[in-house]
Amino acid sequence: MVSTFSEQLRDQPALREDSMGGCQDPKPLPVFPLSNADMTLCSLEGTSYGVHSHILRDTCGLFATMFTLPSPKAYESLCIYESDAVLQTILYLLSGHHRSSWDSLDQAESVLIVAEKWDAPVVIERIRPTLFTPRFCDADPLRLYAIARHFDWDREARALSLHILALDLRDPIHQNTLASISSKHLKPLFDLRRSRKETLEKMLNSTERFIVGNRCVQTSHKPQPRLIVPCSCIMALRVDAALNFTASVVGV
């Protein structure tokens, strides 16, 4: 079962409890050499990353606060409660680089979680435009909607509401994601569905749009033979109109 964004953020600490003790048998990474850095971050796998402390101080609220505490030398080597994949990516983004794509939504979400724990808005804003690709929007729009609402990305959330119309929100597979979204942001989704349903029902029952099945039409005073149309034909016409209607609407 996939945990939600809020659950992962709550369950993982920003730093390991033994972080002040440094790393045992560190493995330096060439991309982040130790020689030119004044601080070392160590991953769960034991890989050491050389980082300039001023980069962390200027971009992360967590480290900015930490460096104001006594004994700054105690923070020259820290063990971070993150994997190599996550730590390397977030340090890459903190260093001013950009990433245009992700292998999976899980990968991007893992970095977002760390960025929020570290209070690193620059990383969050660099990730933001890379998430809402057709690939991710089609694969899991509800999960993306939860992320967008979590960070108050209103424009993206409104666009995703259209993709969510195609989902069956009663499916148990969406239970965890729905639970992670506040009622304030769930209500517009259900209001949108209800309004679309009501509008579609009015269209289907309209005597102006669908004559067959809604009223009897006579072109003269002479009795006209009754035209019997199979229900399947009527429904085909109505579904076609419904699809055209759905394609032309705007999200919440």
Side-chain angles (χ1 to χ4, degrees), residues 133-202:
T133 62
R135 173 190 169 197
F136 290 154
C137 289
D138 293 338
D140 201 342
L142 186 61
R143 185 177 173 189
L144 272 181
Y145 180 84
I147 294 174
R149 285 306 186 189
H150 179 83
F151 288 104
D152 293 326
W153 297 338
D154 186 64
R155 183 181 71 255
E156 290 85 349
R158 289 170 60 88
L160 285 164
S161 65
L162 290 178
H163 293 266
I164 296 173
L165 284 173
L167 301 181
D168 180 5
L169 297 183
R170 296 169 298 180
D171 192 321
I173 195 174
H174 302 305
Q175 181 177 354
N176 280 0
T177 306
L178 288 172
S180 70
I181 304 174
S182 68
S183 57
K184 172 186 176 182
H185 295 134
L186 274 179
K187 186 177 183 298
L189 287 181
F190 288 102
D191 287 347
L192 176 64
R193 284 174 173 262
R194 185 178 64 253
S195 66
R196 297 297 172 80
K197 179 181 177 181
E198 292 173 352
T199 304
L200 179 58
E201 185 177 357
K202 290 179 181 178

Side-chain angles (χ1 to χ4, degrees), residues 214-236:
N214 285 327
R215 70 178 181 181
C216 180
V217 178
Q218 293 184 349
T219 57
S220 68
H221 295 290
K222 296 181 180 181
Q224 298 293 323
R226 185 176 181 181
L227 178 63
I228 300 177
V229 181
C231 292
S232 58
C233 295
I234 297 176
M235 290 307 299

Side-chain angles (χ1 to χ4, degrees), residues 50-199:
V51 186
H52 291 283
S53 58
H54 72 85
I55 293 179
L56 296 177
R57 182 178 58 250
D58 295 343
T59 58
C60 304
L62 173 68
F63 290 98
T65 301
M66 183 184 299
F67 293 150
T68 63
L69 301 177
S71 303
K73 287 188 175 295
Y75 307 116
E76 291 180 356
S77 180
L78 296 176
C79 291
I80 306 298
Y81 199 84
E82 304 298 341
S83 66
D84 278 329
V86 172
L87 188 54
Q88 184 173 349
T89 301
I90 193 169
L91 291 179
Y92 183 79
L93 294 172
L94 285 173
S95 300
H97 301 285
H98 293 268
R99 180 164 184 157
S100 59
S101 62
W102 302 90
D103 296 335
S104 67
L105 188 54
D106 287 336
Q107 182 188 39
E109 192 174 38
S110 297
V111 179
L112 271 175
I113 290 171
V114 178
E116 185 168 22
K117 287 190 296 186
W118 287 12
D119 189 14
V122 63
V123 172
I124 295 174
E125 286 305 312
R126 283 175 180 164
I127 293 176
R128 179 178 181 177
T130 66
L131 287 180
F132 304 97
T133 62
R135 173 190 169 197
F136 290 154
C137 289
D138 293 338
D140 201 342
L142 186 61
R143 185 177 173 189
L144 272 181
Y145 180 84
I147 294 174
R149 285 306 186 189
H150 179 83
F151 288 104
D152 293 326
W153 297 338
D154 186 64
R155 183 181 71 255
E156 290 85 349
R158 289 170 60 88
L160 285 164
S161 65
L162 290 178
H163 293 266
I164 296 173
L165 284 173
L167 301 181
D168 180 5
L169 297 183
R170 296 169 298 180
D171 192 321
I173 195 174
H174 302 305
Q175 181 177 354
N176 280 0
T177 306
L178 288 172
S180 70
I181 304 174
S182 68
S183 57
K184 172 186 176 182
H185 295 134
L186 274 179
K187 186 177 183 298
L189 287 181
F190 288 102
D191 287 347
L192 176 64
R193 284 174 173 262
R194 185 178 64 253
S195 66
R196 297 297 172 80
K197 179 181 177 181
E198 292 173 352
T199 304

